[in-house]
Amino acid sequence: MDWAARRESMVDRLESEGRVDDPATLDAMRAVPRHEFVPEHKRDSAYADTPLPIGDGQTISAPHMVAIMTDLLDLSPGDEVLEIGTGCGYHAAVTAEIVGPEHVFSVEYHDSLAEQARERLDRLGYGAVSIRAGDGKRGWSEYAPYNRAYLTCAAPDFPEAVVDQVRPGGVLLAPLGTARQTLVRARKREDGSLDRGDHGGVRFVEMQ
């Protein structure tokens, strides 16, 4: 199987559809082998633009959604980034391609997924990504403050602890809502409040 050609075709499609045009995001999507992050029996669909189940009721997001979220985060090399919802580790790897693996800190609710993601990222060269199992609503205060924070699962609102752990001027991104979800990007003001903007309806697994 020519995975590299499939991956190139996937990114070319995203670019031609006009969903994302940021060179850093496109380069990151080209660099990360998505097929390594999906279960073997789903691997033939790894480069289809669709979410796929990864176990424990969780999914790997569709490539276009990972690309859009990466674009909206407006990442720069060296940014300290908090991810809530490691899942299989794919989104963390895409983020790590831009900011550097040592600047990515990810919290996963399920112990088994956290361990599998840690082993997978290490095997693929992203071993400096920090992963812990725990309650994502509490963030990861040990490495705060962060320049960016994002959720890969839907929540009623940005968790208060996560907001607190982002530095003023930093960006938060998450699918917010219960019955209906909206992708919301927020910049944290100096007074701690959030300047929010909506970026369309989405559908994510709900935060646990």
Side-chain angles (χ1 to χ4, degrees), residues 26-68:
L26 295 169
D27 287 348
M29 297 293 290
R30 285 192 176 94
V32 180
R34 189 172 189 257
H35 64 279
E36 295 279 5
F37 292 86
V38 302
E40 199 151 337
H41 67 282
K42 293 287 185 181
R43 202 158 276 185
D44 196 49
S45 301
Y47 294 106
D49 194 14
T50 183
L52 296 169
I54 58 170
D56 284 326
Q58 306 302 300
T59 60
I60 178 174
S61 293
H64 80 269
M65 185 53 58
V66 174
I68 287 169

Side-chain angles (χ1 to χ4, degrees), residues 60-187:
I60 178 174
S61 293
H64 80 269
M65 185 53 58
V66 174
I68 287 169
M69 291 181 70
T70 303
D71 208 29
L72 286 171
L73 283 168
D74 190 23
L75 300 166
S76 298
D79 278 346
E80 303 291 331
V81 182
L82 173 64
E83 176 187 67
I84 304 301
T86 316
C88 61
Y90 175 69
H91 203 144
V94 172
T95 300
E97 280 289 336
I98 300 176
V99 303
E102 68 276 16
H103 300 293
V104 180
F105 304 87
S106 188
V107 183
E108 169 54 48
Y109 184 80
H110 298 276
D111 289 353
S112 58
L113 287 179
E115 184 57 35
Q116 291 166 26
R118 193 178 291 115
E119 292 173 357
R120 185 178 298 112
L121 288 166
D122 187 47
R123 175 168 55 83
L124 296 173
Y126 302 100
V129 171
S130 298
I131 298 172
R132 77 172 180 89
D135 183 356
K137 292 188 286 292
R138 299 174 64 181
W140 197 346
S141 60
E142 183 180 352
Y143 297 102
Y146 301 97
N147 303 97
R148 302 287 187 267
Y150 64 94
L151 277 61
T152 66
C153 44
D157 201 352
F158 292 109
E160 188 176 334
V162 174
V163 175
D164 289 345
Q165 290 166 24
V166 172
R167 67 176 74 248
V171 171
L172 298 101
L173 183 67
L176 300 183
T178 49
R180 297 180 63 176
Q181 301 170 8
T182 303
L183 187 61
V184 178
R185 182 185 192 270
R187 187 171 292 278

